[in-house]
Amino acid sequence: MKSFVVSHLVIWTIFCGGIFCSRPASVNIGAVFTFDSVIGRAAKVAMKMAVDDVNADPRILNGTHLNLIMKDAACSVFLGAIGAFQALEEGIVAMVGPQSSSIAHMVSQIADALHVPLVSYGATDPTLSSLQFPYFFRTIQSDLEQMIAVADLIEFNEWKEVIAVYLDDDYGRNGMSALRDELENRRLKIAHKLPLSIQFDPNEITTLLNQSKLFGPRVYVVHINLDPKLRFFNIANKLEMMTKDYVWLVTDWLFATLDSFSPVNQTSLSVLQGVVGFRQHIPDSRKKRGFVSQWRNAHKGIPNGSLNAYGYYAYDTIWAVARSIDRFIRLHNNITFVVNHKNKPSHTQGNDLQLDKLKILASGSDLGSILLQSNFTGVSGRVQFNSNRNIISGGYDVININQNAMTTVGYWSNCSGFSVIPAENLKTKKCKRLTQGHKLGNITWPGGGTERPRGWVIADNGRPLRIGVPRRASFVEFVTVKDHQILGYCIDVFNKTLEFIPYEVPYRFMPVGNGKSNPSYDELVKNVADSVYDAVVGDIAIVTNRTQYVDFSQPYATSGLVIVAPVDNARSNAWVFLQPFTADMWCATAASFVMIGVVIWILEHRVNDDFRGPPKRQLVTAFMFSLSTLFKTNQERTISSLSKMVMIVWLFLLMVITASYTASLTSILTVEQLSSPITGIDSLIASNWPIGYQVGSFAYSYLTDSLYISKSRLVQLGSPEEYAKALKKGPSNGGVAAIIDELPYVELFLSKETGFGIIGQPFTKSSWGFAFQKESPLALDMSTAILKLAESGELQKIHDKWLCKMGCSEKTTSNSKPDQLHLISFWGLYLSCGVVTLASLLVFLLRAIRQYARFKRREKDIAVASSSEPSKTSSHCSQVLLNFFNFIDEKEEAIKKIFTQCDNPEPQVR
């Protein structure tokens, strides 16, 4: 009995195992898409071709027949959802499509509920890759990649603002959101948005494009659905918006549309002249060429069904699904579905969809994991998914339409950026995301020009630029209102600068202030940020806090805060020629002349007749020789080599001292000396004296906020007359010790007033420029024009016209006292000269002592030879020194003659 039971269990196990281990005879996959559309017509043919190729390949599915169940979404989210339910009722294990991002959002939720992978070849909305849709896969590049490419193109051409035209649905809104983020990362922006309804009403398009003419930017980014009739650009062409100064950038919708045209239709592309856009890059390969040949054979008799990029992706999508199902069956041996009672509706009566028949794909997550591991080469290139279930980007072709032809001007990839060579052909594998290394071919823009358009114009809204101008009460040479006319240095600079801008700039000056006191310049600049004015023209200092909310042009005038104080003239001093040297320097120099005279006399006295003679003559000769070296007029020549060596060092020392004295005296004679003890900003801060500043200037905030000077010490002054009056009174009589103001004002003040000067150098560095609203493109063009104005010399002419009417004053920069030359600055030279002089004198003395000793020996030998009795010589020290000095007073030539006679005595006559 036991053996009977065991045998039956074995037979049952074998029977069940045979049932569950057998491969299914067929497997169903679904496809939901719009049949009658540019994408749908290409995808339908491509998917049928792929199914036939899969079923004909014995290596895939191993005899299991692949069935494709297609449902028409008819461009409707509602019908797309019904089609998905209908396909799921037939037990599909995967779903292909849809091409629409809006439909994909709905179908993804249905597929997720039943654990059926949804693989789309046309839905590019970046948000479909979120964690909300874990079963959504994409075999076409996400719009996130495309918007990175668009942002790179905008940055590459140095445009700052764009106008976005997009379809107001999930596809359009989320695509523009991705573009906005990418532009913000590059400090660029979408200035205006033009959303279009999905009905694509021509009247709506006309209205929006006419409105956009009132905006300043002229760079349009168009992100809409495929438009076989090119309605959008036909309307733009009728509105004369396909002309010079306009830029039209399009996403891949346009070239997918044009690729679907027959060659006859592609010849009528005149309305697209100058358009630049992107097309999904599909690298050339043997598989691609074979697919194109196969497509042409299958395409015969199908109207308007030319191959586009979506056809390639649809074909590879079927293959990716088939390969994944094959691996899934090998792993699980079969495909099973289970009923989920939680999702089962309570009432199904009258429901044609029969939702109670919907079942969950068992191990659907495993099929998704296998699909994520796909890695093969298809007709569209490498088919491989990243962690977000998007196909790894293959890049885009950059296309330019010129003369009814589509020209590839470059390629873009997320790794290498723009290049004229496809990414797969680049030798380097390193990613280079630096824009300056990118390169594109020549592009023809709307209007036929090849020069890159500026990308913006002055807004065509009938309103000229509102330019605020300070109505100054003082220093009116810079800007003023006179007889209802705005005049001044700053105004002339602005008007002349506009002549260097290659387009018309309508503007209107708006004076600010009552004319009795200077307006607050900080408030004036803030009004630009608040859009009260479009710009401010005047003597506007470029300081840090202002650059936070406005953009400045290139500086047209150098500025900076300086100190002005009373001065007097030091040239009235009769003894000014003594000031270059300090007392110790004068003493050292005088001692050096005496020393050089004495040493040269000692070295030359024995060998040079010019240094011999009566004592009075020798004394005069020695000192006259020393002093004459100052004027290079020595009448006496030096013979001794030791003297020549001393003179070389002495003349070098004398040259340096003479040059330094001349320079110092020149500086003293041309610099005015202050009558106040202020030496600079530090001494002014340390004192308690009142300080003057100009009304409305940023000097007040700088002194209080940066230098922490008490507000009670600051005295506001409104005119040059008040400047002079306050400085003359001084701090003890109700005036000020000094005035702190910007350099241009001070220079103008000093050109009219005497007795005042600038202390030291400017203690802040700044400039004047014109203020514009943040990211205003006019600021850049104005900066370029100002540089041209300066290079042409016109800027200096305007300066001289307004600020040099009474003669341009030299910058009177003063110090507290003349810079005297101290001995410590030259001690090295003096030391070198002294060492050489003492060394020469020591060598001379040693030689003289040696000669004297030799002379005394000879004298002793002669005395011994002539007498048998030794001579008595005095050994007294004073006598020895006297004899030595008498010896060296003799000419060296006479001493040498004595030595010669001693060495060669005359023979005695017998």
Side-chain angles (χ1 to χ4, degrees), residues 751-768:
S751 68
K752 300 178 180 179
E753 298 287 345
T754 58
F756 309 103
I758 300 174
I759 300 178
Q761 300 295 326
F763 58 89
T764 66
K765 298 293 184 181
S766 63
S767 303
W768 286 357

Side-chain angles (χ1 to χ4, degrees), residues 89 112 156 165 176 245 266 272 294 425 524 596 634 757 775 832 834 893:
E89 285 179 348
D112 291 346
F156 177 77
V165 182
M176 284 300 104
D245 292 333
Q266 287 187 356
L272 300 175
Q294 184 182 359
N425 294 339
L524 189 58
I596 290 299
N634 307 89
E775 301 179 357
S832 300
E893 183 179 351

Side-chain angles (χ1 to χ4, degrees), residues 599-610:
V599 170
I600 293 299
W601 177 82
I602 292 174
L603 297 178
E604 291 291 322
H605 179 69
R606 302 186 67 200
V607 297
N608 193 339
D609 291 337
D610 292 338

Side-chain angles (χ1 to χ4, degrees), residues 354-476:
Q354 299 181 357
L355 297 179
D356 56 332
K357 292 184 178 181
L358 296 179
K359 298 179 181 180
I360 295 176
L361 175 63
S363 302
S365 60
D366 291 346
L367 178 59
S369 299
I370 294 172
L371 188 61
L372 189 63
Q373 298 171 11
S374 298
N375 189 356
F376 66 94
T377 301
V379 297
S380 64
R382 199 71 188 166
V383 179
Q384 186 178 2
F385 296 99
N386 58 25
S387 58
N388 292 326
R389 305 175 304 283
N390 292 320
I391 194 169
I392 294 178
S393 175
Y396 292 86
D397 302 335
V398 184
I399 311 296
N400 176 220
I401 298 179
N402 181 29
Q403 297 180 350
N404 292 335
M406 294 185 293
T407 305
T408 301
V409 295
Y411 304 88
W412 178 91
S413 74
N414 202 5
C415 184
S416 59
F418 292 110
S419 67
V420 294
I421 302 174
E424 64 271 13
N425 294 339
L426 293 175
K427 294 181 180 180
T428 177
K429 299 299 182 182
K430 296 181 179 180
C431 289
K432 296 181 179 179
R433 297 294 294 130
L434 298 177
T435 306
Q436 58 266 29
H438 297 181
K439 185 178 181 181
L440 287 175
N442 294 329
I443 295 176
T444 301
W445 303 99
T450 56
E451 183 179 355
R452 183 186 64 205
R454 187 173 63 253
W456 71 277
V457 296
I458 299 298
D460 187 16
N461 55 10
R463 178 180 63 81
L465 290 178
R466 300 163 301 173
I467 299 180
V469 177
R471 180 180 289 174
R472 294 194 58 87
S474 61
F475 297 105
V476 294

Side-chain angles (χ1 to χ4, degrees), residues 497 536 542 551-556 767-772 778-784 786:
T497 301
V536 169
I542 303 174
D551 284 342
F552 282 95
S553 67
Q554 174 78 17
Y556 64 86
S767 303
W768 286 357
F770 304 132
F772 297 87
L778 184 58
L780 179 61
D781 288 350
M782 286 293 291
S783 297
T784 304
I786 289 173

